[in-house]
């Protein structure tokens, strides 16, 4: 964390100085905004948190509820999400209060007495070390609280506008604020009163029954599975030995997915209620909590679960549905007009809760979209950037649904009907990287280069998330995770892995001069009134021991002057960790490599240090100020 560069800070440094639209921010929802977000769920709140970092953009987020969510339906936090929380500054705090999953137990009928269940296997949750971050379980409401804190501490001082329900919208292309949204008061003194808010862009993150989705002519298509589940968050007295371990329990009466919750006592159970006959959906949804508890005890025999308190419960049928697009541009209009209205999260993809993906994938929707809207509204990038949101995220949602169909089907299969007795646990181990959030791989586009230079850094696959590794900061000798130094501030990251040959510094200086002076360099598009690193955070990593790096000789782009007093920032210069060499760990060519990482932490390009023309050509379509080489 950096501060003091604009003067001494005596208070909490996580509270950023108020700036731009945050100065004298009106409490009441204004008539005109840049971005209107509908829904304060995970997708909406992460998008708002990202946009809150852009001081010149007026973003408001509305919700029909009267106040913050108190009990959330989602609870699984995959490691990829915790990586994201790190960028927003609260990974450590939410990890401290969450339940951490380290293994999963599998229970099945005892072959010698099939009416009883026994533990048959245990699986390590992250056996391959795919991330340095853990797999967590914590109430969705707490995740939203943390994003709300990020917003409130941002330069824009954003807070949600509760008590407003979306009614309808109209888009008038050509207007400065082309989206007219009708909202209705849903809480407070003036319930039922309506008003119109005009916006440049609108995001519908308003859930599976999204009215925004309906307003842009999108529909959820797919199958509503004919299997019902009862879910309950409870406090209970039980003799089941693995009550504080994540478990898949399968017996002849049905299946249970057991999820321990934060706090040491609460746990969640997804209880198999069996097949739903056509026309019987209403009766299944009316299943009482007592019936769900009775079914759970039947499945877990000979163990008992004596429920003392029910914090939350519901009954649902597994549904796998997806919209064909995540914005308001119809197929026939693609390439002709830019999107003005977007949908995210459950508004465009639904699936079972048992793979723990709903909240996680929804947050990645918002993280993908937020910086793109911010760059377009600030004039950094052309509107064509916005088309990449639907193109990238719709494919990911489709892959998730395919995965979840297989997982939820296996969970609902009786043990005697499995092709192999270990089929469920084998699938869990074999596919661990997917539900952890690390199989996302974006296809080449204007924000993802081709993979022609991938061999220069095999450990940073283009299109996949940047997998961090430890490095040693030269100025103070501290060992740090390189990826953890990248915050959710909307900046691109350019990591330069330095060569070791005798003219290495000279080659770095050539690169630095090009970055700072060439009209084709992305850095030269940064406004003259801003710090040189305000749009592009450029770091260098040397191969030699940090004591062998002459920091005074490191080229200027890696030691920028920042802040009111134009002080030199020395914290962008790193060396390899002598105990975990990042060059070896990530397969980085030792002749000099540039790795470009997007604001949402995905690798956008890998290229040789000498390929400045390619670097310029990559950024040209993304900048309103650059032209192709």
């Amino acid at each position: 964390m950096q501060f003091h560069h604009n003067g001494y800070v005596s208070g909490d440094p996580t509270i950023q100085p108020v700036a731009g639209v945050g100065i004298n921010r009106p409490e009441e929802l204004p008539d005109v905004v840049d971005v209107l977000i509908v829904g304060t769920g995970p997708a909406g709140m992460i998008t708002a948190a990202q946009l809150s970092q852009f001081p010149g953009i007026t973003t408001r987020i509305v919700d029909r509820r009267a106040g913050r969510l108190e009990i959330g339906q989602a609870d699984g936090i995959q490691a990829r999400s915790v990586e994201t929380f790190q960028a927003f500054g609260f990974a450590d705090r939410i990890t401290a209060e969450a339940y951490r999953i380290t293994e999963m137990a599998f229970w099945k009928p005892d072959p010698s007495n099939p009416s009883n269940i026994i533990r048959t296997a245990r699986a390590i949750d992250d056996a391959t070390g795919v991330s340095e971050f853990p797999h967590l379980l914590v109430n969705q409401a707490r995740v939203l609280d943390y994003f709300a804190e990020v917003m409130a501490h941002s330069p824009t001082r954003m807070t949600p506008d509760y008590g407003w329900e979306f009614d309808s919208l109209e888009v008038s292309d050509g207007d400065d604020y082309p989206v007219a949204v009708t909202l209705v008061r849903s809480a407070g003194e003036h319930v039922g009163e309506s008003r119109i808010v005009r916006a440049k862009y609108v995001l519908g993150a308003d859930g599976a029954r999204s009215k925004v989705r309906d307003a842009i002519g999108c529909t959820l298509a797919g199958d509503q599975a004919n299997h019902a589940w009862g879910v309950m968050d409870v406090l209970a007295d039980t003799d089941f030995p693995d009550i504080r371990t994540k478990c898949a329990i399968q017996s002849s009466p049905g299946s249970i997915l057991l999820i321990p919750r934060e706090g040491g006592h609460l746990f969640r159970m997804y209880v198999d209620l069996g097949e739903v006959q056509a026309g019987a959906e209403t009766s299944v949804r009316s299943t009482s909590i007592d019936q769900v508890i009775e079914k759970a005890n039947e499945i877990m025999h000979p163990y008992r679960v004596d429920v003392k308190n029910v914090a939350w419960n519901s009954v649902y049928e597994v549904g796998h549905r997806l919209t064909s697009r995540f914005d308001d541009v119809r197929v026939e209009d693609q390439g002709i007009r830019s999107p003005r209205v977007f949908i995210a999260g459950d508004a465009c993809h639904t699936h079972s809760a048992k793979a723990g993906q709903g909240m996680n994938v929804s947050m990645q929707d918002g993280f993908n979209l937020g910086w793109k809207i911010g760059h377009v509204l600030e004039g950094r990038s052309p509107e064509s950037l916005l088309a990449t949101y639907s193109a990238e995220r719709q494919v990911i949602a489709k892959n998730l649904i395919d995965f979840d169909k297989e997982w939820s089907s296996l969970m609902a299969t009786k043990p005697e009907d499995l092709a192999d007795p270990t089929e469920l646990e084998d699938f869990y181990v074999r596919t661990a990287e997917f539900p952890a959030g690390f199989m996302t791989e974006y296809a080449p586009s204007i924000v993802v280069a081709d993979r022609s230079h991938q061999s220069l850094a095999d450990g940073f696959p283009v299109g996949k998330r940047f997998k961090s590794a430890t490095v040693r900061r030269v100025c103070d000798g501290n060992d740090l995770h390189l990826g953890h130094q990248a915050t959710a501030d909307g900046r691109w990251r350019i990591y330069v892995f330095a060569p070791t040959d005798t003219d290495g510094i000279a080659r770095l200086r050539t690169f630095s001069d090009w970055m700072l002076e060439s009209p084709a360099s992305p850095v030269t598009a940064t406004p003259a009134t801003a710090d040189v690193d305000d749009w592009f955070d450029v770091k260098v990593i040397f191969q030699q021991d940090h004591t062998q790096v002459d920091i005074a000789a490191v080229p200027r782009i890696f030691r920028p002057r920042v802040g009111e007093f134009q002080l030199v920032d020395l914290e962008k210069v790193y060396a390899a960790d002598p105990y975990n060499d990042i060059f070896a760990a990530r397969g980085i060519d030792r002749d000099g490599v540039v790795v470009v990482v997007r604001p949402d932490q995905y690798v956008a390009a890998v290229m040789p240090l000498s390929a400045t023309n390619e670097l310029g050509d990559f950024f040209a379509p993304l900048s309103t100020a650059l032209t192709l080489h």
Side-chain angles (χ1 to χ4, degrees), residues 4-24:
H4 295 323
H5 52 290
N6 290 317
Y8 179 70
V9 176
S10 65
D12 183 350
T14 66
I15 302 176
Q16 301 178 62
V18 64
V21 300
I23 300 172
N24 299 319

Side-chain angles (χ1 to χ4, degrees), residues 469-517:
T470 54
V471 290
R472 180 163 291 177
R473 194 161 57 196
V474 170
C475 67
D476 56 15
N478 279 312
D479 292 339
L480 304 164
H481 256 280
L482 184 60
H484 298 191
Q485 312 316 303
T487 59
D489 54 14
R491 289 190 293 174
W492 286 85
R493 264 73 199 184
I494 299 177
Y495 299 104
V496 177
F497 293 88
T500 55
D501 51 41
T502 54
D503 63 344
I505 283 290
R507 293 171 63 195
L508 286 177
R509 190 170 292 114
T510 298
F511 178 85
S512 173
D513 291 346
W514 181 87
M515 288 288 281
L516 290 170
E517 299 168 8

Side-chain angles (χ1 to χ4, degrees), residues 15-54:
I15 302 176
Q16 301 178 62
V18 64
V21 300
I23 300 172
N24 299 319
R25 180 185 184 273
E27 288 190 16
E28 290 297 318
L29 185 65
D31 293 330
V32 175
V33 300
D34 293 315
V35 184
L36 182 67
I37 300 172
V38 181
T40 59
M45 289 294 277
I46 192 173
T47 309
Q50 177 68 95
L51 285 167
S52 73
Q53 307 304 309
F54 293 83

Side-chain angles (χ1 to χ4, degrees), residues 78-388:
Q78 303 295 351
R80 171 65 190 130
S81 294
V82 187
E83 285 186 350
T84 303
F85 297 162
Q86 175 69 30
F88 282 93
F90 61 86
D92 289 344
R93 286 188 293 153
I94 200 168
T95 298
E97 70 179 78
Y99 173 88
R100 180 170 182 169
I101 298 176
T102 55
E103 65 179 15
M104 184 171 179
F106 296 84
W107 288 73
K108 294 180 181 177
D110 183 347
S112 63
N113 184 1
S115 64
N116 292 344
I117 57 170
I118 59 170
R119 186 193 304 113
T120 58
R122 281 192 175 103
I124 301 299
D125 190 67
D126 181 13
T128 61
V130 70
S131 174
E132 70 276 13
F133 288 104
H135 182 183
L136 305 177
L137 293 163
V138 69
N139 185 359
Q140 173 183 319
R142 294 296 294 136
V143 176
L144 305 184
D145 287 344
Y146 280 112
F147 280 125
E149 180 183 89
V150 172
M151 293 156 53
H153 290 178
S154 74
T156 59
R157 296 298 190 266
M158 195 189 306
T159 57
D161 294 289
Y162 292 111
W164 289 105
E165 183 168 9
F166 175 89
D167 181 71
S168 61
L169 65 77
E170 292 184 6
V171 180
S172 302
D173 287 327
D175 293 352
D176 289 340
Y177 295 85
V179 190
V181 179
T182 300
L183 301 173
V184 178
R185 259 294 180 191
S186 55
E189 296 181 7
H190 305 288
V191 172
E193 291 186 4
S194 65
R195 61 173 296 189
I196 293 176
V197 176
R198 303 196 70 90
K200 292 181 179 177
Y201 297 103
V202 170
L203 169 63
D206 49 339
R209 296 181 177 85
S210 171
K211 291 183 179 180
V212 177
R213 179 188 65 230
D214 295 342
I216 62 173
C218 284
T219 57
L220 281 172
D223 298 326
Q224 185 82 10
N226 60 348
H227 210 98
W229 296 80
V231 55
M232 55 183 180
D233 287 336
V234 298
L235 297 169
D237 181 32
T238 178
D239 58 352
F240 183 64
D242 284 351
I243 200 65
R244 297 304 299 165
T245 301
K246 181 181 178 182
C247 295
I249 303 167
Q250 293 178 300
S251 67
S252 294
S255 302
I256 289 175
L257 182 64
L258 170 64
I259 306 290
R261 293 287 301 272
E262 68 280 9
H265 300 282
L266 188 71
F267 61 88
R268 171 170 292 187
M269 279 187 169
Y270 292 95
V271 181
D272 182 359
L273 299 180
E275 300 291 327
V276 181
Q277 301 302 317
E281 294 86 354
T282 302
S283 62
V284 169
R285 292 175 194 140
S286 64
T287 302
S288 70
I289 183 62
D290 289 338
Q291 290 173 302
V292 174
I293 294 169
E294 181 182 358
K295 183 68 173 179
N297 275 279
E298 184 182 354
I299 294 170
M300 295 180 67
H301 186 271
Y303 302 101
R304 59 173 180 80
V305 177
D306 181 10
V307 174
K308 302 296 185 180
N309 178 264
V310 179
W312 175 80
N313 71 286
S314 183
V315 174
Y316 71 97
E317 298 156 67
V318 177
H320 299 98
R321 291 177 291 173
L322 177 69
T323 59
S324 60
R325 52 187 168 88
F326 287 10
D327 60 34
D328 65 332
V329 179
R330 299 177 185 275
V331 174
E332 60 269 24
D333 294 328
Q334 290 179 358
I336 300 173
R337 64 177 292 266
S338 297
R340 288 289 177 176
V341 184
F342 307 88
I343 52 176
D346 287 353
C348 42
H349 48 77
T350 65
H351 35 81
S352 84
K354 290 181 295 301
Q357 291 299 296
M359 175 164 49
N360 297 277
V361 175
S362 295
M363 287 189 291
Q364 294 306 314
D365 288 346
F367 201 15
N368 182 291
L369 178 63
W371 68 271
K372 294 174 180 178
I373 294 178
H375 284 201
V376 170
L377 285 173
E378 278 200 338
R380 304 189 197 187
S381 298
E383 287 187 343
S384 56
L385 174 63
L386 300 177
T388 64

Side-chain angles (χ1 to χ4, degrees), residues 484-565:
H484 298 191
Q485 312 316 303
T487 59
D489 54 14
R491 289 190 293 174
W492 286 85
R493 264 73 199 184
I494 299 177
Y495 299 104
V496 177
F497 293 88
T500 55
D501 51 41
T502 54
D503 63 344
I505 283 290
R507 293 171 63 195
L508 286 177
R509 190 170 292 114
T510 298
F511 178 85
S512 173
D513 291 346
W514 181 87
M515 288 288 281
L516 290 170
E517 299 168 8
S518 171
S521 164
V523 173
T524 59
T526 306
T529 55
D531 287 337
V532 69
D533 68 345
D534 269 9
W535 285 10
F536 295 89
D537 179 18
V538 187
K539 291 181 166 68
V540 62
I541 303 91
F542 289 93
Q543 298 179 46
Q544 59 264 47
D545 187 88
H546 77 288
T547 60
Q548 303 303 309
V549 177
D550 180 2
I551 200 166
V554 172
R556 293 175 299 155
I557 190 66
F558 309 113
R559 298 185 299 120
R561 292 187 176 274
V562 299
E564 179 180 345
F565 306 107

